[in-house]
Amino acid sequence: MRNPSPSQNAEESHASSPAKLTSIQKEAVAKGIDLNALPHHVAIIMDGNGRWAKGKGFARLLGHREGYRTLRSALLNASELGVKYLTVYAFSAENWRRPEDEVAGLMKLIETAAKDELRAMHQNNVRICVAGRIDHVPEGLRKALLHGIETTKNNTGITFTLAINYGGRAELVDAIKAIINSGVPAESVTEEMVGQHLYNPTHPEPDLMVRTAGEMRWSNFLIWQSAYCELFVTDVPWPEFSKKELLEAVATFQKRTRKFGAVVE
Ligand code: IPE
Ligand code: IPE
Ligand code: MG
């Protein structure tokens, strides 16, 4: 695979130290995955909770609860595999259109998860970030998120970003407002400047975007940052997403030729 921006240094190189590999890394190597060419930033559109629940005769909220369990293991797997950034779509700016009880249940579930998982995440050296207009989420959830961000801000393991009340267009509108407010003349606006005004300006762009439950669309997720990321869509609904699908996504990513508009022989 051609990846013009590999950022591995000798210390991060896994190939020379097989004894130190985690179990998921050993599985990855057995599947032909090159640990020195992993996607740096994986973004996931966690879709299909409702359909999964419906298929089993459960209420939609049960699907979201199961989705939370999946997320816990996906974060652990991504981290142990060696992915540096994981960003997940937990609630879109458009999801407020759902029935009130589903929205309230989701907010409560995310708040409970944020509180219950903090200790383990901190112990695992996870750095928590959020993306989205969190000023507009319920106060208890907002406080739990801000506490998580503050507690883990100096951690050096995987950066885990929860996109909540997130919309890609809203993010661009917020960036444009900030640029205008800074008094920059229109002629001076550049792509770099837009990037610097996004919610998490220091995060690298995702290089792999995964969507579960078969839908072939972005649904307003990271629309600026994903301009050149590789897409992997699986039919598996989010509650059933496992290590197997994660490794399949990475293996598929490594078979792609990334061209960024240029000619690659
Ligand atoms: C994704 O699952 C979770 C959220 C959007 C919060 P859905 O709830 O969209 O599941 P489907 O698409 O209805 O199956
Ligand atoms: C995208 O899924 C949002 C999240 C996964 C949080 P949706 O289920 O809301 O997307 P659409 O409505 O199918 O486009
Ligand atoms: Mg959906």
Side-chain angles (χ1 to χ4, degrees):
M1 188 202 66
R2 267 183 68 95
N3 186 346
S5 56
S7 55
Q8 300 288 338
N9 57 33
E11 221 174 58
E12 284 177 318
S13 175
H14 303 284
S16 55
S17 53
K20 285 188 191 152
L21 296 187
T22 61
S23 85
I24 190 169
Q25 285 176 332
K26 285 181 194 153
E27 253 180 78
V29 170
K31 285 178 189 285
I33 289 171
D34 176 357
L35 296 178
N36 292 315
L38 292 174
H40 206 61
H41 183 172
V42 176
I44 308 183
I45 301 176
M46 308 181 291
D47 199 15
N49 294 351
R51 276 164 281 174
W52 178 86
K54 193 175 174 196
K56 297 206 170 308
F58 301 150
R60 290 178 59 84
L61 263 173
L62 250 142
H64 296 315
R65 216 163 286 159
E66 201 56 35
Y68 159 34
R69 290 207 188 99
T70 303
L71 177 54
R72 192 197 280 145
S73 55
L75 172 60
L76 201 66
N77 284 332
S79 169
E80 290 187 351
L81 182 60
V83 170
K84 299 292 176 208
Y85 290 81
L86 178 70
T87 299
V88 300
Y89 210 2
F91 191 89
S92 78
E94 289 72 31
N95 286 147
W96 299 105
R97 295 173 186 157
R98 296 187 176 204
E100 224 173 283
D101 59 340
E102 181 172 348
V103 170
L106 268 166
M107 291 296 152
K108 201 70 219 160
L109 176 66
I110 303 170
E111 181 181 332
T112 307
K115 289 176 180 163
D116 290 355
E117 299 300 323
L118 180 57
R119 181 198 279 260
M121 285 169 96
H122 193 31
Q123 275 170 357
N124 286 332
N125 201 17
V126 175
R127 181 169 68 119
I128 301 170
C129 295
V130 297
R133 290 180 175 167
I134 61 159
D135 291 356
H136 298 102
V137 303
E139 197 188 354
L141 172 56
R142 184 170 60 252
K143 282 189 175 160
L145 293 172
L146 294 175
H147 178 57
I149 293 168
E150 182 59 27
T151 307
T152 63
K153 68 180 179 198
N154 295 320
N155 287 350
T156 54
I158 192 168
T159 296
F160 171 68
T161 304
L162 199 64
I164 179 151
N165 191 21
Y166 176 86
R169 289 180 177 178
E171 181 175 35
L172 284 175
V173 168
D174 290 348
I176 292 163
K177 282 182 183 164
I179 292 170
I180 291 173
N181 282 336
S182 73
V184 172
E187 316 78 73
S188 306
V189 175
T190 60
E191 291 186 10
E192 287 68 29
M193 195 180 288
V194 174
Q196 284 157 9
H197 288 85
L198 299 175
Y199 295 137
N200 291 292
T202 61
H203 293 186
E205 289 175 6
D207 32 19
L208 171 62
M209 165 110 45
V210 174
R211 183 162 186 152
T212 56
E215 233 72 73
M216 302 276 186
R217 56 175 170 262
W218 272 257
S219 300
N220 204 13
F221 193 39
L222 303 175
I223 53 176
W224 176 276
Q225 299 90 325
S226 66
Y228 273 102
C229 82
E230 297 295 326
L231 287 173
F232 176 84
V233 177
T234 171
D235 284 336
V236 167
W238 179 247
E240 288 175 7
F241 186 87
S242 68
K243 197 161 56 171
K244 174 174 172 277
E245 286 77 31
L246 178 67
L247 293 177
E248 202 182 317
V250 171
T252 305
F253 169 81
Q254 293 192 339
K255 290 196 189 95
R256 304 270 175 86
T257 302
R258 306 192 75 197
K259 300 192 204 169
F260 300 96
V263 175
V264 175
E265 299 299 343

